[in-house]
Amino acid sequence: MAKASEAGEPVELEVGDRTIRLSSPDRVYFAERGETKRELAEYYLAVGDGIVRALRDRPCMLHRFPTGVSGKKVHQKRIPAGAPDWLETVEIWFPRFGRTADELCVTELGSVIWAVQMSTVEFHPWNSRRLDPECPDEWRIDLDPMPDCPFSRIQRVAHVVEEVLDELGIRGFPKTSGGRGLHIYVRIEPEWGFPQVRSAALAFAREVERRAPADVTTTWWRKDRDPAAVFVDFNQNTRDHTMASAYSVRGNPRATVSAPIDWAEIDDVAPDDFTIATMPARFAEIGDLHREIDDVAHRLDTLLEWAERDAVTIDDVDADGVVDLDS
């Protein structure tokens, strides 16, 4: 809990064995709703077990908003000088830049609250862990709506995804994106590199497209997609492509959250149901819906067979989203 302070002055948050100083606690971060930096920190404290599970041991990009989400966003890969010595990191090699960066690896709730002190709103982890950053242990299914796509179509496609996963004997863990889409995460054996996981993801996406051709597209170039379709974004499994984690707040004025949901909830949820104001009570009532995500790691053999069958190759798909390592 926080020690008392005068309005606007720094507060100290006791987080496990850590004492973390939170400056500018009354700065409004979410203009539409009025929540402050301190309320952002209190949100992450309330969902602590969930956010730590989602981030644990993963290289993590921080999306920082030093003046609140209406201001400039900073993509932070490199941990700045002066970070506490207890903060865990991992050195990542970036071939495009020919250099390395020490990225945050969350191992405890204190490191999350330290990042909030550094004005972090969103947490974007890799789908691999620091023990072997080049071998993902998470396959990500991103249902990305095109501009004219209604959320009802996302919900319909999510059920197709569930059907295909069930037939494969694979358990997926859905969550809202915090925007207009849905994500489904699957734990996998860390036996394959990013190109193989990406090929498996594309093979799966094409199977979903076969079953729901009126709703789904896997066409890579945005200009060639149906503007009302759901793009199953297989490329989110590319090396150094990151997505907002479960329980991450999103950098929008509505303070929405990427919220774990049950498959049975999909037809009833709306994108803005989950915010930093509503999630703490939900978490207190039902706990972390992803608490069993690490219990079973699945294999990709069948999907890789599908990829070979379909002659799936995405070597010519360019990765985008280059970020300055010094940010």
Side-chain angles (χ1 to χ4, degrees), residues 25-81:
D26 297 328
R27 175 173 291 156
V28 173
Y29 266 39
F30 304 96
E32 188 173 306
R33 301 175 49 87
E35 281 95 351
T36 63
K37 182 178 181 180
R38 179 170 180 167
E39 288 170 309
L40 176 65
E42 290 171 344
Y43 161 77
Y44 280 119
L45 290 172
V47 299
D49 288 347
I51 188 67
V52 171
R53 180 175 289 109
L55 299 175
R56 186 177 296 280
D57 287 327
R58 299 187 183 281
C60 189
M61 179 193 288
L62 308 177
H63 287 199
R64 298 174 50 240
F65 295 82
T67 61
V69 300
S70 298
K72 179 182 178 182
K73 176 167 67 172
V74 178
H75 291 181
Q76 185 96 31
K77 288 177 181 272
R78 192 185 302 278
I79 291 298

Side-chain angles (χ1 to χ4, degrees), residues 163-179:
E163 174 186 281
V164 180
L165 288 175
D166 283 348
E167 291 175 9
L168 290 167
I170 290 175
R171 184 178 182 186
F173 289 80
K175 67 183 183 73
T176 65
S177 68

